[in-house]
Amino acid sequence: MPGFVGAVQIMNIGSSGVFHIGDVFQLTPISTAKTFAGAGSFNTGETLTIRNHQSATNTFDNDGIDQGNNFNL
């Protein structure tokens, strides 16, 4: 069902972001990423107390090939 949209101001869209207005059948951002993070990396809040006395992040990846985005067209 079509709709009417007023003024839109886009300040920033990331490299794998998707922006749409109106009807859409399929949204397919094409991006892959691998993230390594140590203990306490993604904690959020105002007053955090985090004690990681000895922490090590294992970044060894022995499989060589990860899932790709070959079929995201």
Side-chain angles (χ1 to χ4, degrees):
M1 179 176 199
F4 296 98
V5 178
V8 175
Q9 181 179 8
I10 302 171
M11 300 302 288
N12 187 9
I13 294 181
S15 62
S16 64
V18 174
F19 175 78
H20 78 89
I21 295 177
D23 299 337
V24 65
F25 172 71
Q26 182 178 9
L27 297 175
T28 310
I30 299 174
S31 175
T32 58
K34 181 183 286 190
T35 302
F36 297 106
S41 295
F42 297 116
N43 292 326
T44 58
E46 294 180 11
T47 55
L48 292 175
T49 302
I50 301 168
R51 293 186 180 98
N52 297 323
H53 298 289
Q54 289 184 347
S55 176
T57 301
N58 182 9
T59 60
F60 177 69
D61 187 12
N62 62 353
D63 60 358
I65 299 173
D66 294 323
Q67 180 178 350
N69 58 1
N70 300 336
F71 298 107
N72 288 342
L73 300 176

